[in-house]
Amino acid sequence: MLSLTNLESWYGRSRALNGISLEVPEGKITGIAGRNGTGKTTLLKTIMGLTDSAKGVVRLGGRDISAAPTHMRARAGIAYVPQGRGIIPDFTVRENIVMGGFANRAGKRAVPEIVPELFPYLAENMDRRGGLLSGGQQQQLAIARALAAEPDVVLLDEPNEGIQPSIVEDIEKVILRMSRDFGLTVILVEQNIGFLRRAASRFAMLEKGAVVEGGDISGLTDAVVDRHMTI
């Protein structure tokens, strides 16, 4: 579904990714792990075309989108849920979700039918302003907005970071269903190794902007975690 070949990326003159190659299987969750500052967020931004400059090849469904601007990558079927969620606080829940529809290839500008099933609270509070939601509810809103584009690939950047425990489990269940029930391809940046092991089929461990370990999720052993994530 998504193929990255020799991907390099820069912020100004500072190189953040160093030749990352990664095959992301269709309809599965691929986990990205590593210490803070190793390039995990930059990898997702590079896939979306959001860094200052990049080299290498990004293919989506066999199509080379390396030169495509961000909005065309979104239209091609990639949705991005950034760290910090990025919802618009003065927009209502409904308006935030519908905003995601501007990347919908079929031109739909509506709340997806799956939102009430996945996020009952959002369905019951469509006219509530996004800024009044808790952090966990805003994360649910950011995911719902991404789904409004009806994407093929969803990039999730630490969706459980700073979320109250009562909602973390709900978000984890939604992520699992995105792949299992709806066939979406997911790249999940996550520090919770336990959840990565439960959710992902493959993983890549980053260090200094490069993949230093990877493959089947069974390879994400305690020894690998200790070697690359223990401070």
Side-chain angles (χ1 to χ4, degrees):
M1 170 56 67
L2 185 67
S3 176
L4 314 177
T5 306
N6 295 325
L7 208 59
E8 300 181 0
S9 194
W10 284 263
Y11 293 112
R13 295 184 178 181
S14 178
R15 185 162 68 173
L17 296 185
N18 297 294
I20 287 182
S21 294
L22 190 64
E23 295 294 326
V24 179
E26 183 174 2
K28 303 292 184 181
I29 298 174
T30 297
I32 308 296
R35 296 185 184 94
N36 290 334
T38 56
K40 302 185 302 297
T41 292
T42 300
L43 175 60
L44 301 189
K45 288 185 174 181
T46 303
I47 293 170
M48 287 304 301
L50 291 170
T51 58
D52 292 343
S53 62
K55 291 182 179 179
V57 180
V58 179
R59 288 188 177 88
L60 178 64
R63 173 188 171 194
D64 188 343
I65 60 169
S66 308
T70 298
H71 72 279
M72 292 305 296
R73 298 186 191 207
R75 284 284 178 91
I78 305 177
Y80 177 38
V81 181
Q83 197 173 25
R85 299 174 278 279
I87 63 119
I88 298 180
D90 289 335
F91 278 20
T92 65
V93 167
R94 178 180 287 102
E95 289 168 339
N96 269 283
I97 295 174
V98 170
M99 186 174 63
F102 283 92
N104 190 295
R105 288 163 287 183
K108 296 179 183 178
R109 305 286 189 270
V111 176
E113 294 180 1
I114 62 173
V115 165
E117 179 183 352
L118 295 178
F119 306 110
Y121 176 85
L122 299 182
E124 296 166 2
N125 291 272
M126 283 291 169
D127 296 321
R128 188 174 176 83
R129 295 201 179 276
L132 299 178
L133 304 183
S134 70
Q137 291 160 351
Q138 289 184 6
Q139 186 63 273
Q140 292 178 329
L141 178 56
I143 296 172
R145 179 185 59 195
L147 295 177
E150 296 185 339
D152 300 315
V153 179
V154 180
L155 312 179
L156 295 171
D157 194 354
E158 299 201 29
N160 289 324
E161 183 183 38
I163 303 302
Q164 55 268 46
S166 60
I167 295 185
V168 165
E169 185 176 354
D170 292 338
I171 291 175
E172 290 183 353
K173 288 179 179 177
V174 166
I175 294 170
L176 289 169
R177 290 197 64 194
M178 286 166 63
S179 168
R180 183 189 63 212
D181 296 347
F182 302 110
L184 294 174
T185 301
V186 178
I187 299 182
L188 172 64
V189 169
E190 180 59 65
Q191 295 281 38
N192 185 331
I193 296 300
F195 179 50
L196 274 187
R197 287 169 173 161
R198 294 193 302 274
S201 63
R202 298 185 64 80
F203 81 101
M205 180 72 71
L206 300 193
E207 195 166 292
K208 295 181 180 179
V211 175
V212 291
E213 306 265 6
D216 188 87
I217 195 64
S218 62
L220 186 58
T221 63
D222 289 344
V224 168
V225 173
D226 290 343
R227 187 157 56 245
H228 299 291
M229 294 187 69
T230 301
I231 298 174

